[in-house]
Amino acid sequence: KQWYQRRVAITAGDEIFMDEKFSSDERNVMFEKLYTNTLFYLAQVYGVKGDNKQAAAHCHITLQRQLEADDFDPLDWSLNCATLSQYYVTMNNYQSARHTLACASSVMSNVQESAENAIYSDESYDNEKIVKARADVERCWIKFCVNLLKDSVKDLEESDLMEKVSKITEMKNTFEDEEDKEEKEEEKEEEKEEEKIVKAR
């Protein structure tokens, strides 16, 4: 099956450049779609190899290109976008995680609104699948919030610890300064006593 899919992709590429029935604009559209699919397959390859950074990067570009071309399945796109956010969470990149989750929720809300208005008559957009997909996206939001709170608490604890260490160090330095000051004063007193003894002689 994998070999067949690769062969179909190669054949599609041949058709784009060799078949004269396609106009220049049609070739551009088909080529861009083929390139997007290639990025998607590369994301899968990097994922299998364990290179999560490259997998996430290619997945991000794929989702972006699909959105710009308006060529995607809304439910799948939303779930893939929400899933991508979980990688960003593990990397403590909460800004990117929130962005991808917001995109997923936005597209998901459009799907639900369209379903309610009976725009989609396809079985793939039945209410049960929409509800399940929405629940999966919201579950990703919950994981995002939980991890954000945990990391925030950890940062606060570390900040509080550093503040305590700083205060202890400051107190220690102040104490040492006072000891040095007392020693110098004692030395001065001893010098004065010695001068008095010398004068008395």
Side-chain angles (χ1 to χ4, degrees), residues 12-17 23-39 65:
D14 291 342
E15 289 181 354
I16 292 174
F17 296 106
S23 66
S24 177
D25 290 340
E26 288 175 330
R27 283 195 179 94
N28 286 336
V29 171
M30 294 173 67
F31 178 79
E32 291 297 330
K33 185 173 183 178
L34 185 62
Y35 179 57
T36 299
N37 289 337
T38 302
L39 291 171
R65 288 177 61 86

PDB file of all heavy atoms in Angstrom, residues 12-17 23-39 65:
ATOM      1  N   ALA A  12       1.258  11.457 -10.229  1.00  0.00           N
ATOM      2  CA  ALA A  12       0.600  12.758 -10.166  1.00  0.00           C
ATOM      3  C   ALA A  12       1.570  13.861 -10.563  1.00  0.00           C
ATOM      4  O   ALA A  12       1.209  14.800 -11.279  1.00  0.00           O
ATOM      5  CB  ALA A  12       0.065  13.009  -8.766  1.00  0.00           C
ATOM      6  N   GLY A  13       2.820  13.735 -10.106  1.00  0.00           N
ATOM      7  CA  GLY A  13       3.824  14.717 -10.478  1.00  0.00           C
ATOM      8  C   GLY A  13       4.093  14.704 -11.970  1.00  0.00           C
ATOM      9  O   GLY A  13       4.255  15.753 -12.599  1.00  0.00           O
ATOM     10  N   ASP A  14       4.147  13.507 -12.577  1.00  0.00           N
ATOM     11  CA  ASP A  14       4.336  13.392 -14.027  1.00  0.00           C
ATOM     12  C   ASP A  14       3.197  14.064 -14.786  1.00  0.00           C
ATOM     13  O   ASP A  14       3.416  14.770 -15.775  1.00  0.00           O
ATOM     14  CB  ASP A  14       4.418  11.916 -14.426  1.00  0.00           C
ATOM     15  CG  ASP A  14       5.702  11.270 -13.914  1.00  0.00           C
ATOM     16  OD1 ASP A  14       6.630  12.024 -13.569  1.00  0.00           O
ATOM     17  OD2 ASP A  14       5.757  10.029 -13.841  1.00  0.00           O
ATOM     18  N   GLU A  15       1.976  13.857 -14.289  1.00  0.00           N
ATOM     19  CA  GLU A  15       0.815  14.428 -14.963  1.00  0.00           C
ATOM     20  C   GLU A  15       0.839  15.956 -14.934  1.00  0.00           C
ATOM     21  O   GLU A  15       0.466  16.624 -15.885  1.00  0.00           O
ATOM     22  CB  GLU A  15      -0.472  13.920 -14.319  1.00  0.00           C
ATOM     23  CG  GLU A  15      -0.754  12.452 -14.599  1.00  0.00           C
ATOM     24  CD  GLU A  15      -2.046  11.990 -13.954  1.00  0.00           C
ATOM     25  OE1 GLU A  15      -2.637  12.795 -13.210  1.00  0.00           O
ATOM     26  OE2 GLU A  15      -2.442  10.842 -14.193  1.00  0.00           O
ATOM     27  N   ILE A  16       1.296  16.497 -13.814  1.00  0.00           N
ATOM     28  CA  ILE A  16       1.321  17.951 -13.679  1.00  0.00           C
ATOM     29  C   ILE A  16       2.199  18.578 -14.754  1.00  0.00           C
ATOM     30  O   ILE A  16       1.829  19.585 -15.370  1.00  0.00           O
ATOM     31  CB  ILE A  16       1.840  18.358 -12.282  1.00  0.00           C
ATOM     32  CG1 ILE A  16       0.831  17.947 -11.211  1.00  0.00           C
ATOM     33  CG2 ILE A  16       2.095  19.857 -12.205  1.00  0.00           C
ATOM     34  CD1 ILE A  16       1.322  18.178  -9.788  1.00  0.00           C
ATOM     35  N   PHE A  17       3.376  17.968 -14.998  1.00  0.00           N
ATOM     36  CA  PHE A  17       4.336  18.587 -15.901  1.00  0.00           C
ATOM     37  C   PHE A  17       4.204  18.102 -17.354  1.00  0.00           C
ATOM     38  O   PHE A  17       4.616  18.808 -18.268  1.00  0.00           O
ATOM     39  CB  PHE A  17       5.758  18.307 -15.409  1.00  0.00           C
ATOM     40  CG  PHE A  17       6.053  18.922 -14.076  1.00  0.00           C
ATOM     41  CD1 PHE A  17       6.132  18.150 -12.937  1.00  0.00           C
ATOM     42  CD2 PHE A  17       6.236  20.295 -13.954  1.00  0.00           C
ATOM     43  CE1 PHE A  17       6.394  18.711 -11.701  1.00  0.00           C
ATOM     44  CE2 PHE A  17       6.501  20.868 -12.717  1.00  0.00           C
ATOM     45  CZ  PHE A  17       6.581  20.076 -11.592  1.00  0.00           C
ATOM     46  N   SER A  23      -3.930  23.731 -17.601  1.00  0.00           N
ATOM     47  CA  SER A  23      -3.452  25.092 -17.827  1.00  0.00           C
ATOM     48  C   SER A  23      -2.337  25.407 -16.836  1.00  0.00           C
ATOM     49  O   SER A  23      -2.083  24.650 -15.899  1.00  0.00           O
ATOM     50  CB  SER A  23      -4.593  26.089 -17.659  1.00  0.00           C
ATOM     51  OG  SER A  23      -5.029  26.109 -16.302  1.00  0.00           O
ATOM     52  N   SER A  24      -1.694  26.547 -17.042  1.00  0.00           N
ATOM     53  CA  SER A  24      -0.597  26.948 -16.152  1.00  0.00           C
ATOM     54  C   SER A  24      -1.101  27.140 -14.716  1.00  0.00           C
ATOM     55  O   SER A  24      -0.440  26.712 -13.761  1.00  0.00           O
ATOM     56  CB  SER A  24       0.026  28.252 -16.670  1.00  0.00           C
ATOM     57  OG  SER A  24       1.049  28.691 -15.789  1.00  0.00           O
ATOM     58  N   ASP A  25      -2.251  27.749 -14.567  1.00  0.00           N
ATOM     59  CA  ASP A  25      -2.822  27.963 -13.225  1.00  0.00           C
ATOM     60  C   ASP A  25      -3.172  26.639 -12.559  1.00  0.00           C
ATOM     61  O   ASP A  25      -2.939  26.456 -11.350  1.00  0.00           O
ATOM     62  CB  ASP A  25      -4.072  28.843 -13.313  1.00  0.00           C
ATOM     63  CG  ASP A  25      -3.732  30.280 -13.678  1.00  0.00           C
ATOM     64  OD1 ASP A  25      -2.570  30.677 -13.499  1.00  0.00           O
ATOM     65  OD2 ASP A  25      -4.635  31.000 -14.150  1.00  0.00           O
ATOM     66  N   GLU A  26      -3.717  25.724 -13.338  1.00  0.00           N
ATOM     67  CA  GLU A  26      -4.071  24.411 -12.774  1.00  0.00           C
ATOM     68  C   GLU A  26      -2.821  23.664 -12.343  1.00  0.00           C
ATOM     69  O   GLU A  26      -2.818  22.984 -11.306  1.00  0.00           O
ATOM     70  CB  GLU A  26      -4.849  23.594 -13.810  1.00  0.00           C
ATOM     71  CG  GLU A  26      -6.260  24.083 -14.042  1.00  0.00           C
ATOM     72  CD  GLU A  26      -6.947  23.336 -15.162  1.00  0.00           C
ATOM     73  OE1 GLU A  26      -6.246  22.880 -16.095  1.00  0.00           O
ATOM     74  OE2 GLU A  26      -8.187  23.202 -15.121  1.00  0.00           O
ATOM     75  N   ARG A  27      -1.750  23.778 -13.146  1.00  0.00           N
ATOM     76  CA  ARG A  27      -0.497  23.130 -12.776  1.00  0.00           C
ATOM     77  C   ARG A  27       0.041  23.699 -11.465  1.00  0.00           C
ATOM     78  O   ARG A  27       0.527  22.954 -10.603  1.00  0.00           O
ATOM     79  CB  ARG A  27       0.545  23.322 -13.878  1.00  0.00           C
ATOM     80  CG  ARG A  27       0.356  22.420 -15.088  1.00  0.00           C
ATOM     81  CD  ARG A  27       1.608  22.415 -15.944  1.00  0.00           C
ATOM     82  NE  ARG A  27       1.464  21.542 -17.078  1.00  0.00           N
ATOM     83  CZ  ARG A  27       1.056  21.931 -18.283  1.00  0.00           C
ATOM     84  NH1 ARG A  27       0.745  23.208 -18.471  1.00  0.00           N
ATOM     85  NH2 ARG A  27       0.941  21.068 -19.264  1.00  0.00           N
ATOM     86  N   ASN A  28      -0.042  25.008 -11.314  1.00  0.00           N
ATOM     87  CA  ASN A  28       0.447  25.637 -10.085  1.00  0.00           C
ATOM     88  C   ASN A  28      -0.322  25.131  -8.861  1.00  0.00           C
ATOM     89  O   ASN A  28       0.260  24.816  -7.826  1.00  0.00           O
ATOM     90  CB  ASN A  28       0.313  27.160 -10.183  1.00  0.00           C
ATOM     91  CG  ASN A  28       1.345  27.772 -11.109  1.00  0.00           C
ATOM     92  OD1 ASN A  28       2.404  27.189 -11.340  1.00  0.00           O
ATOM     93  ND2 ASN A  28       1.043  28.952 -11.650  1.00  0.00           N
ATOM     94  N   VAL A  29      -1.638  25.056  -8.989  1.00  0.00           N
ATOM     95  CA  VAL A  29      -2.473  24.582  -7.881  1.00  0.00           C
ATOM     96  C   VAL A  29      -2.135  23.136  -7.536  1.00  0.00           C
ATOM     97  O   VAL A  29      -1.980  22.774  -6.359  1.00  0.00           O
ATOM     98  CB  VAL A  29      -3.971  24.714  -8.224  1.00  0.00           C
ATOM     99  CG1 VAL A  29      -4.830  24.027  -7.162  1.00  0.00           C
ATOM    100  CG2 VAL A  29      -4.364  26.180  -8.341  1.00  0.00           C
ATOM    101  N   MET A  30      -2.011  22.295  -8.554  1.00  0.00           N
ATOM    102  CA  MET A  30      -1.712  20.880  -8.340  1.00  0.00           C
ATOM    103  C   MET A  30      -0.319  20.695  -7.750  1.00  0.00           C
ATOM    104  O   MET A  30      -0.105  19.847  -6.875  1.00  0.00           O
ATOM    105  CB  MET A  30      -1.838  20.111  -9.655  1.00  0.00           C
ATOM    106  CG  MET A  30      -3.264  20.058 -10.200  1.00  0.00           C
ATOM    107  SD  MET A  30      -3.339  19.326 -11.851  1.00  0.00           S
ATOM    108  CE  MET A  30      -2.881  17.632 -11.493  1.00  0.00           C
ATOM    109  N   PHE A  31       0.624  21.512  -8.243  1.00  0.00           N
ATOM    110  CA  PHE A  31       1.990  21.397  -7.723  1.00  0.00           C
ATOM    111  C   PHE A  31       2.043  21.794  -6.250  1.00  0.00           C
ATOM    112  O   PHE A  31       2.705  21.128  -5.440  1.00  0.00           O
ATOM    113  CB  PHE A  31       2.939  22.274  -8.537  1.00  0.00           C
ATOM    114  CG  PHE A  31       4.359  22.238  -8.035  1.00  0.00           C
ATOM    115  CD1 PHE A  31       5.186  21.174  -8.348  1.00  0.00           C
ATOM    116  CD2 PHE A  31       4.858  23.262  -7.236  1.00  0.00           C
ATOM    117  CE1 PHE A  31       6.485  21.115  -7.875  1.00  0.00           C
ATOM    118  CE2 PHE A  31       6.157  23.217  -6.764  1.00  0.00           C
ATOM    119  CZ  PHE A  31       6.975  22.150  -7.082  1.00  0.00           C
ATOM    120  N   GLU A  32       1.364  22.889  -5.894  1.00  0.00           N
ATOM    121  CA  GLU A  32       1.341  23.327  -4.505  1.00  0.00           C
ATOM    122  C   GLU A  32       0.712  22.264  -3.611  1.00  0.00           C
ATOM    123  O   GLU A  32       1.174  22.033  -2.484  1.00  0.00           O
ATOM    124  CB  GLU A  32       0.574  24.655  -4.379  1.00  0.00           C
ATOM    125  CG  GLU A  32       1.269  25.848  -5.011  1.00  0.00           C
ATOM    126  CD  GLU A  32       2.591  26.167  -4.360  1.00  0.00           C
ATOM    127  OE1 GLU A  32       2.737  25.907  -3.145  1.00  0.00           O
ATOM    128  OE2 GLU A  32       3.493  26.673  -5.048  1.00  0.00           O
ATOM    129  N   LYS A  33      -0.339  21.634  -4.086  1.00  0.00           N
ATOM    130  CA  LYS A  33      -0.984  20.576  -3.306  1.00  0.00           C
ATOM    131  C   LYS A  33      -0.050  19.384  -3.140  1.00  0.00           C
ATOM    132  O   LYS A  33       0.028  18.784  -2.051  1.00  0.00           O
ATOM    133  CB  LYS A  33      -2.280  20.141  -3.991  1.00  0.00           C
ATOM    134  CG  LYS A  33      -3.080  19.122  -3.191  1.00  0.00           C
ATOM    135  CD  LYS A  33      -4.426  18.853  -3.825  1.00  0.00           C
ATOM    136  CE  LYS A  33      -5.238  17.880  -2.968  1.00  0.00           C
ATOM    137  NZ  LYS A  33      -6.584  17.631  -3.554  1.00  0.00           N
ATOM    138  N   LEU A  34       0.659  19.032  -4.218  1.00  0.00           N
ATOM    139  CA  LEU A  34       1.611  17.924  -4.143  1.00  0.00           C
ATOM    140  C   LEU A  34       2.750  18.243  -3.172  1.00  0.00           C
ATOM    141  O   LEU A  34       3.182  17.379  -2.399  1.00  0.00           O
ATOM    142  CB  LEU A  34       2.177  17.646  -5.543  1.00  0.00           C
ATOM    143  CG  LEU A  34       3.104  16.431  -5.682  1.00  0.00           C
ATOM    144  CD1 LEU A  34       2.358  15.153  -5.338  1.00  0.00           C
ATOM    145  CD2 LEU A  34       3.663  16.352  -7.105  1.00  0.00           C
ATOM    146  N   TYR A  35       3.197  19.492  -3.186  1.00  0.00           N
ATOM    147  CA  TYR A  35       4.258  19.911  -2.270  1.00  0.00           C
ATOM    148  C   TYR A  35       3.775  19.857  -0.817  1.00  0.00           C
ATOM    149  O   TYR A  35       4.513  19.416   0.074  1.00  0.00           O
ATOM    150  CB  TYR A  35       4.705  21.332  -2.624  1.00  0.00           C
ATOM    151  CG  TYR A  35       5.786  21.876  -1.718  1.00  0.00           C
ATOM    152  CD1 TYR A  35       6.998  21.204  -1.569  1.00  0.00           C
ATOM    153  CD2 TYR A  35       5.594  23.065  -1.021  1.00  0.00           C
ATOM    154  CE1 TYR A  35       7.992  21.694  -0.741  1.00  0.00           C
ATOM    155  CE2 TYR A  35       6.591  23.562  -0.189  1.00  0.00           C
ATOM    156  CZ  TYR A  35       7.780  22.880  -0.049  1.00  0.00           C
ATOM    157  OH  TYR A  35       8.760  23.367   0.767  1.00  0.00           O
ATOM    158  N   THR A  36       2.526  20.262  -0.591  1.00  0.00           N
ATOM    159  CA  THR A  36       1.954  20.195   0.760  1.00  0.00           C
ATOM    160  C   THR A  36       1.885  18.744   1.242  1.00  0.00           C
ATOM    161  O   THR A  36       2.206  18.448   2.396  1.00  0.00           O
ATOM    162  CB  THR A  36       0.548  20.814   0.782  1.00  0.00           C
ATOM    163  OG1 THR A  36       0.640  22.190   0.387  1.00  0.00           O
ATOM    164  CG2 THR A  36      -0.059  20.746   2.180  1.00  0.00           C
ATOM    165  N   ASN A  37       1.473  17.851   0.347  1.00  0.00           N
ATOM    166  CA  ASN A  37       1.417  16.427   0.710  1.00  0.00           C
ATOM    167  C   ASN A  37       2.807  15.885   1.029  1.00  0.00           C
ATOM    168  O   ASN A  37       2.976  15.061   1.937  1.00  0.00           O
ATOM    169  CB  ASN A  37       0.805  15.612  -0.436  1.00  0.00           C
ATOM    170  CG  ASN A  37      -0.680  15.864  -0.589  1.00  0.00           C
ATOM    171  OD1 ASN A  37      -1.348  16.286   0.355  1.00  0.00           O
ATOM    172  ND2 ASN A  37      -1.214  15.628  -1.778  1.00  0.00           N
ATOM    173  N   THR A  38       3.810  16.357   0.290  1.00  0.00           N
ATOM    174  CA  THR A  38       5.187  15.935   0.546  1.00  0.00           C
ATOM    175  C   THR A  38       5.638  16.365   1.938  1.00  0.00           C
ATOM    176  O   THR A  38       6.279  15.591   2.669  1.00  0.00           O
ATOM    177  CB  THR A  38       6.141  16.534  -0.503  1.00  0.00           C
ATOM    178  OG1 THR A  38       5.720  16.120  -1.821  1.00  0.00           O
ATOM    179  CG2 THR A  38       7.569  16.063  -0.271  1.00  0.00           C
ATOM    180  N   LEU A  39       5.286  17.595   2.317  1.00  0.00           N
ATOM    181  CA  LEU A  39       5.620  18.084   3.659  1.00  0.00           C
ATOM    182  C   LEU A  39       4.938  17.235   4.730  1.00  0.00           C
ATOM    183  O   LEU A  39       5.529  16.936   5.773  1.00  0.00           O
ATOM    184  CB  LEU A  39       5.187  19.547   3.808  1.00  0.00           C
ATOM    185  CG  LEU A  39       5.979  20.573   2.993  1.00  0.00           C
ATOM    186  CD1 LEU A  39       5.306  21.938   3.078  1.00  0.00           C
ATOM    187  CD2 LEU A  39       7.420  20.658   3.486  1.00  0.00           C
ATOM    188  N   ARG A  65      -0.188  25.709   5.156  1.00  0.00           N
ATOM    189  CA  ARG A  65      -0.410  25.702   3.711  1.00  0.00           C
ATOM    190  C   ARG A  65      -1.825  25.212   3.369  1.00  0.00           C
ATOM    191  O   ARG A  65      -2.463  25.731   2.444  1.00  0.00           O
ATOM    192  CB  ARG A  65       0.642  24.815   3.029  1.00  0.00           C
ATOM    193  CG  ARG A  65       2.034  25.418   3.017  1.00  0.00           C
ATOM    194  CD  ARG A  65       3.035  24.449   2.390  1.00  0.00           C
ATOM    195  NE  ARG A  65       2.689  24.141   1.024  1.00  0.00           N
ATOM    196  CZ  ARG A  65       3.042  24.871  -0.034  1.00  0.00           C
ATOM    197  NH1 ARG A  65       3.762  25.978   0.144  1.00  0.00           N
ATOM    198  NH2 ARG A  65       2.696  24.516  -1.255  1.00  0.00           N
TER     199      ARG A  65
END
